């Protein structure tokens, strides 16, 4: 790039721009773009940055509520959690980079989402992730799992932020395109929130953090195209992270934020200096003029093109009040970070870039934002899968349970989360592995309940219901620990939007999210779209991942999944019809992925959830688990294993309903353990409230040898130790090869 590059049709195509888009660029500029301008347009108009295929549909999502302070459009969303405290959170994808270079791809995904949070003035207090890998027997899967988990652990642990939850699943649709979705949750004071709008003219624009190199150039463009056989060659587009530098950057930024020197601040994320500078000017209704000769550089002879498009990590751009430059510089120098005044805001509404005495880019700021293309792509909504799958009613239920507990999706993920520091900062209230992670709001009894959820097999069978279910499951997981669900962030992972059926999945998925979030008063305050998750024409399962956040009034009344006492009564909340369509049981035991996805009754989700939450908040139960993948028997087994206490199910089954009752995945259900002398009263209260409730059995069962065991009518006893051995054995054995 050191020699001048002519902008030819081939160069335009290489930048991911079509003929109509290039013609529009010429129209906006009134001339042919320079190569630097072409590069800037290519990243800012990429799917990853502009959402050109989804913007028209995303506008339909509910984003406001009395407790929402900041919805989509900023670095992260913000909700009010009372007492002058606010929660700042967001989830984003780092899918393509993590497939190409799993350690750095995952690590920089964590680093990027943390910067999105602390650039708002919040200290990150929790991380979560949602990981999707290919089939376990695929030759790349083990390598990718190892690298991604190591990358997440390395970055999060070095930053001193606990990783409190997440999910890890496997499916062949992700063989060539894994998903790495990272979520960060932070806390700030309501009067110390920082935004990215660079208002005013003549204000200094300062670059802080690490030096700029050649890593990550065209990362945003790479993330906006499907993979092919040459994808491994894209390794240079993957950024390289340094969590130790980011820790310094976090502390320096928060120290500067304690002053009143900042007008605006923005993370240099996707598209690096280009996106941060242009977006800050656009949001502030200003212009911006920068001199690339002032940019700290770690490599020699960097071109203007490379500096504008580099996605080198651990960098921020800030606009300061005039006269405060020396004060800010002292702070960043103290933390041994680069600090440079690289330009000023203007009133021209233009982005002007200088390099070596020449103007290499001069364009209207709105050309990169408002004028970015918006496509209403044609779409076809396919008919949802229907029917009830056939099954063998004679298969022994306990053998099937053991098979499910050792399956890749339902097996214990302890091997994953034990590589993460989940107790650092000393505010984690529960270890990973439950329904939701919980962190204390420091110095108070309040807690934040956080979860990531989606069931892609449901979304494939019925994108609308599958998206609704993702929201409903996040709602249940927060409720199950005693939290009031408040807001969500989303990470919409889909395949190629230029294919009408894939675009139909996107549209139906967004509509499902919208319906569920409205019905549950669970607005979407931030998020990310990741499209073109497709390799050699094969798309992933639609995966609209939801990151939910809720508030616990008192963490001392939090519920967990573990049985805690012998002799507690088990109560099933919600109606069990035995829905086996698209269930884990049908897939793992019968070897089929068939049937209709379960229907989600949102009114029922709210009613049942409100009832369960009320019992937790009043101290009448401390043991709750939502029923999800694998159904009722898997949920009971998970509760028994967590508490190392057995249980007996006292329910009589009709022979043909035995398997569906135990393994069906009907929604809006929970299992509670309550003192036996309160069971009848709670069941009566539930029925008075229109909530289905059934006395399911008791805790405290032991085997003939005296060991805790799980049994029931028609179920042979199996020890909890045997359940744990099979449940916790699969992943460590798999990773050992």
């Amino acid at each position: 790039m050191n020699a001048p590059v002519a902008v030819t049709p081939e160069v335009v195509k290489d930048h991911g721009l079509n003929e109509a888009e290039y013609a529009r660029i010429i129209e906006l500029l009134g001339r042919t773009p320079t190569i630097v301008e072409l590069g800037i347009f290519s990243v800012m108009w990429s799917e990853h940055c502009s959402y050109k295929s989804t913007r028209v549909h995303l506008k339909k999502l509910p984003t406001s509520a009395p407790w929402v302070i900041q919805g989509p459009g900023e670095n992260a969303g913000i909700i009010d959690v009372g007492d002058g405290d606010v929660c700042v959170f967001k989830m984003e994808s780092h899918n393509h980079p993590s497939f190409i270079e799993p350690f750095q791809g995952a690590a920089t995904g964590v680093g990027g989402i943390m910067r999105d949070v602390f650039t708002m003035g919040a200290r990150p207090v929790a991380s979560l992730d949602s990981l999707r890998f290919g089939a376990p027997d695929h030759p790349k899967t083990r390598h990718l799992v190892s690298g991604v988990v190591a990358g997440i652990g390395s970055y999060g642990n070095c930053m001193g932020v606990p990783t409190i939850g997440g999910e890890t699943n496997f499916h062949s649709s992700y063989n060539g395109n894994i998903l790495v979705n990272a979520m960060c949750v932070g806390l700030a004071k309501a009067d110390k929130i920082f935004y990215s709008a660079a208002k005013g003219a003549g204000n200094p624009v300062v670059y802080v953090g690490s030096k700029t190199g050649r890593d990550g150039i065209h990362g945003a463009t790479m993330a906006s195209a499907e993979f092919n056989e040459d994808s491994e060659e894209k390794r240079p587009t993957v950024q390289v992270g340094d969590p130790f530098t980011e820790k310094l950057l976090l502390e320096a930024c928060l120290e500067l934020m304690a002053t009143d020197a900042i007008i605006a601040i923005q993370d240099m994320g996707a598209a690096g200096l280009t996106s941060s500078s242009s977006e800050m000017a656009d949001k502030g209704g200003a212009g911006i003029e920068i001199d690339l000769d002032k940019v700290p550089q770690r490599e020699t002879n960097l071109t203007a093109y490379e500096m504008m498009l580099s996605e080198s990590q651990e960098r921020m751009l800030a606009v300061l009040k005039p006269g405060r430059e020396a004060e800010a510089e002292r702070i960043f120098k103290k933390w041994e970070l680069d600090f440079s005044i690289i330009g000023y805001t203007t009133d021209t509404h233009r982005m002007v870039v200088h390099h070596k005495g020449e103007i290499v880019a001069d364009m209207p700021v709105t050309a990169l934002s408002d004028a970015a293309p918006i496509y209403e792509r044609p779409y076809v909504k396919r008919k949802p899968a229907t029917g009830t799958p056939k099954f063998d009613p004679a298969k022994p239920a306990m053998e099937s349970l053991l098979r499910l507990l050792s399956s890749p999706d339902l097996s214990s993920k302890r091997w994953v989360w034990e590589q993460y520091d989940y107790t650092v900062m000393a505010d984690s209230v529960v270890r990973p592995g439950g329904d939701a992670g919980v962190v204390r709001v420091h110095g108070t009894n309040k807690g934040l309940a956080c979860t990531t959820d989606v069931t892609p097999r449901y979304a494939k069978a019925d994108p609308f219901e599958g998206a609704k279910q993702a929201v409903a499951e996040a709602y249940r997981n927060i409720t199950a620990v005693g939290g009031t669900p408040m807001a969500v962030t989303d990470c919409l992972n889909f395949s190629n939007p230029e294919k009408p059926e894939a675009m139909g999945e996107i549209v139906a998925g967004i509509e499902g999210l919208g319906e569920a979030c409205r019905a549950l008063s669970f607005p979407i305050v931030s998020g990310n779209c990741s499209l073109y998750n497709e390799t050699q024409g094969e798309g992933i399962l639609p995966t609209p991942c939801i990151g939910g956040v809720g508030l616990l009034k008192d963490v001392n009344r939090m519920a967990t999944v573990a049985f805690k006492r012998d002799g507690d009564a088990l109560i099933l909340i919600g109606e069990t019809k035995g829905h086996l369509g698209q269930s884990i049981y049908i897939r793992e035991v019968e070897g089929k992925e068939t049937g209709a996805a379960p229907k989600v009754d949102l009114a029922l989700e709210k009613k049942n959830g409100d009832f369960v939450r009320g019992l937790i908040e009043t101290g009448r139960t401390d043991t709750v688990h939502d029923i999800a993948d694998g159904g009722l028997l898997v949920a009971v087994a998970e509760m028994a294993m967590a508490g190392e206490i057995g249980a007996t199910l006292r329910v009589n089954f009709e022979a043909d309903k035995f398997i569906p009752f135990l393994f069906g995945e009907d929604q809006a259900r929970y299992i509670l353990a309550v003192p036996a002398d309160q069971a009848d009263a709670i069941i009566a209260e539930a029925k008075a409230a229109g909530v289905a409730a059934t006395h399911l059995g008791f805790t405290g069962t032991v085997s003939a040898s005296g060991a805790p065991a799980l049994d029931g009518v028609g179920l042979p006893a199996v020890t909890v130790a045997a359940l744990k051995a099979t449940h916790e054995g699969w992943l460590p054995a798999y990773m050992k090869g």
Side-chain angles (χ1 to χ4, degrees):
M1 288 292 177
N2 288 315
V5 177
V7 177
T8 65
E10 291 75 21
V11 170
V12 172
K13 184 178 179 181
D14 287 344
H15 280 73
L17 295 161
N18 61 39
E19 291 182 8
E21 289 169 344
Y22 182 60
R24 177 64 173 148
I25 290 170
I26 292 175
E27 179 184 347
L28 289 166
L29 295 178
R31 54 177 170 77
T32 300
T34 66
I35 188 62
V36 175
E37 290 169 334
L38 185 71
I40 289 171
F41 273 107
S42 76
V43 292
M44 293 304 295
W45 283 16
S46 69
E47 190 71 61
H48 190 73
C49 290
S50 75
Y51 294 176
K52 57 190 174 185
S53 298
T54 55
R55 247 193 301 176
V56 67
H57 301 288
L58 293 172
K59 291 178 180 178
K60 304 171 187 175
L61 292 172
T63 59
S64 61
W67 53 89
V68 173
I69 294 173
Q70 176 64 54
E74 267 291 343
N75 289 294
I78 307 176
I79 57 173
D80 185 347
V81 294
D83 309 306
D85 298 313
V86 299
C87 176
V88 182
F89 65 101
K90 190 180 183 183
M91 179 162 56
E92 282 201 342
S93 62
H94 232 219
N95 303 335
H96 287 52
S98 298
F99 182 80
I100 295 170
E101 215 309 302
F103 182 93
Q104 290 295 348
T108 52
V110 172
I113 198 64
M114 285 188 183
R115 288 195 301 279
D116 280 341
V117 167
F118 74 72
T119 193
M120 305 289 291
R123 179 174 290 279
V125 296
S127 287
L128 299 93
D129 52 64
S130 180
L131 311 177
R132 295 293 186 291
F133 297 103
D137 59 0
H138 188 272
K140 284 189 177 179
T141 298
R142 188 181 289 106
H143 160 71
L144 292 169
V145 173
S146 177
V148 165
V149 171
I152 291 170
S154 172
Y155 211 103
N157 295 354
C158 291
M159 285 293 292
V161 177
T163 302
I164 64 169
E167 51 183 356
T168 303
N169 295 134
F170 300 82
H171 191 276
S172 60
S173 77
Y174 306 106
N175 282 350
N177 199 128
I178 65 173
L179 302 184
V180 175
N181 295 175
M183 178 177 173
C184 183
V185 181
L187 283 166
K189 289 297 181 180
D191 59 353
K192 279 291 184 180
I193 299 172
F194 291 83
Y195 297 97
S196 59
K199 298 177 180 178
N203 299 318
V205 177
V206 299
Y207 171 120
V208 298
S210 289
K211 291 179 169 62
T212 294
R214 290 187 170 91
D215 53 320
I217 293 173
H218 269 300
T221 310
M222 180 268 290
S224 305
E226 62 184 62
F227 277 166
N228 55 37
E229 67 274 9
D230 299 323
S231 294
E232 292 290 347
E233 297 176 8
K234 296 181 178 179
R235 196 173 301 272
T237 64
V238 178
Q239 310 93 326
V240 177
D242 180 354
F244 296 104
T245 298
E246 176 130 331
K247 175 63 173 172
L248 300 177
L249 183 61
L250 163 65
E251 300 300 340
C253 285
L254 292 180
E255 184 173 335
L256 180 61
M257 288 167 173
T259 73
D260 64 345
I262 297 175
I263 293 174
I265 187 166
Q266 171 95 330
D267 161 42
M268 289 194 219
L273 187 55
T274 285
S275 62
S276 55
S277 57
S278 64
E279 288 173 2
M280 290 175 80
D282 179 52
K283 290 175 184 175
I288 192 164
E289 195 154 341
I290 57 179
D291 183 353
L292 296 180
D293 295 336
K294 305 287 180 62
V295 170
Q297 300 165 48
R298 70 166 182 258
E299 299 180 50
T300 58
N301 299 319
L302 282 175
T303 66
Y305 181 98
E306 290 169 330
M307 280 188 276
M308 290 302 293
L309 271 61
S310 168
E311 293 183 10
S312 294
Q313 296 291 284
E314 294 84 42
R315 302 179 302 159
M316 306 280 272
L317 202 64
V319 176
L320 304 180
K321 294 177 181 177
R324 307 299 291 274
E325 299 92 329
E327 178 185 1
E329 184 172 14
R330 278 195 301 273
I331 291 172
F332 283 92
K333 293 298 184 185
K334 182 185 84 172
W335 290 98
E336 299 180 349
L337 295 165
D338 280 292
F339 176 97
S340 179
I341 302 168
I342 66 168
Y344 292 88
T345 58
T346 69
D347 59 5
T348 64
H349 304 288
R350 298 186 73 81
M351 178 178 176
V352 181
V353 182
H354 299 262
H355 186 232
K356 296 188 182 302
E358 297 182 4
I359 293 176
V360 294
D362 184 354
M363 60 190 74
V365 167
T366 54
L368 303 175
S369 54
D370 297 348
I374 299 177
Y375 293 128
E376 295 194 39
R377 297 196 185 278
Y379 62 87
V380 175
K381 290 184 182 178
R382 67 173 184 277
K383 291 182 179 179
T386 59
T388 301
K390 294 181 179 180
F391 63 94
D392 180 359
K395 285 186 176 173
M398 280 303 192
E399 289 183 17
S400 295
L401 173 65
L402 291 168
R403 184 168 178 175
L404 291 180
L405 291 177
S406 63
S407 66
D409 280 5
L410 292 186
S411 64
S412 169
K413 302 306 184 293
R414 180 189 295 271
W415 180 90
V416 174
W417 55 257
E418 284 193 339
Q419 296 187 53
Y420 306 152
D421 190 334
Y422 52 87
T423 62
V424 65
M425 300 179 80
D427 280 320
S428 299
V429 184
V430 62
R431 71 179 188 179
D435 285 326
V438 180
V439 288
R440 183 189 300 269
V441 176
H442 190 71
T444 76
N445 283 331
K446 294 184 299 186
L448 299 176
C450 311
T451 182
T452 58
D453 295 289
V454 64
T455 309
R457 62 184 186 279
Y458 295 170
K460 182 64 176 178
D462 187 337
F464 179 77
E465 287 294 325
K468 282 171 58 181
Q469 193 274 340
V471 176
E473 188 169 350
Y475 186 90
R476 285 198 303 273
N477 281 332
I478 291 168
T479 294
V481 298
T484 300
M486 295 192 71
V488 305
T489 180
D490 59 30
C491 201
L492 307 183
N493 307 274
F494 290 92
S495 55
N496 188 342
E498 296 171 47
K499 296 181 177 179
E501 186 168 286
M503 192 66 211
E505 293 176 344
I506 296 168
V507 174
I510 291 172
E511 290 173 350
L513 294 182
E515 182 168 307
C517 289
R518 275 185 289 271
L520 298 173
S521 299
F522 207 19
I524 296 177
V525 299
S526 61
N528 165 241
C529 286
S530 175
L531 309 186
Y532 294 96
N533 288 292
E534 188 164 309
T535 300
Q536 299 286 69
E538 293 294 320
I540 62 164
L541 297 180
T543 311
C545 188
I546 290 295
V549 173
L551 179 66
L552 280 79
K553 298 172 185 175
D554 185 353
V555 295
N556 297 308
R557 285 197 165 168
M558 177 188 70
T560 66
V561 303
F563 290 152
K564 297 170 183 67
R565 292 162 297 274
D566 291 347
D568 275 358
L570 299 181
I571 296 177
L572 167 62
I573 297 293
E575 189 175 0
T576 299
K577 296 180 180 179
H579 186 98
L580 285 177
Q582 300 299 329
S583 66
I584 285 277
Y585 180 88
I586 288 297
R587 189 180 78 188
E588 296 295 333
V589 177
E590 297 290 347
K592 299 178 286 190
E593 294 185 45
T594 58
K599 294 294 182 183
V600 180
D601 184 330
L602 296 166
L604 197 62
E605 292 283 0
K606 191 169 191 317
K607 182 164 61 175
N608 292 1
D610 288 347
F611 181 78
V612 170
R613 191 181 314 109
L615 294 175
I616 299 170
E617 288 180 344
T618 54
R620 298 178 71 190
T621 182
D622 59 4
T623 307
V624 179
H625 193 10
D626 88 306
I627 301 176
D629 287 350
L632 183 149
L633 192 57
V634 165
V636 173
E638 289 170 342
M639 298 172 85
M641 290 186 292
E644 297 190 347
I645 293 175
T648 295
L649 302 184
R650 299 289 190 195
V651 181
N652 287 306
F653 311 94
E654 297 176 36
D656 62 331
K657 296 180 180 177
F658 189 63
I659 294 299
F661 184 90
L662 293 178
F663 299 110
E665 296 181 7
D666 304 276
Q667 301 295 293
R669 296 186 300 159
Y670 303 80
I671 296 175
L672 284 56
V674 304
D677 60 1
Q678 295 185 31
D680 290 344
I682 288 173
I683 289 173
E685 289 172 29
K687 291 183 177 178
V691 172
T694 306
H695 192 168
L696 193 63
F698 293 94
T699 63
T701 302
V702 295
S703 66
S705 65
L710 180 64
D711 68 10
V713 177
L715 294 171
V718 60
T719 65
V720 173
L723 294 173
K724 288 188 73 171
T726 189
H727 182 54
E728 297 195 354
W730 181 80
L731 189 53
Y734 172 72
M735 293 309 297
K736 286 179 181 176

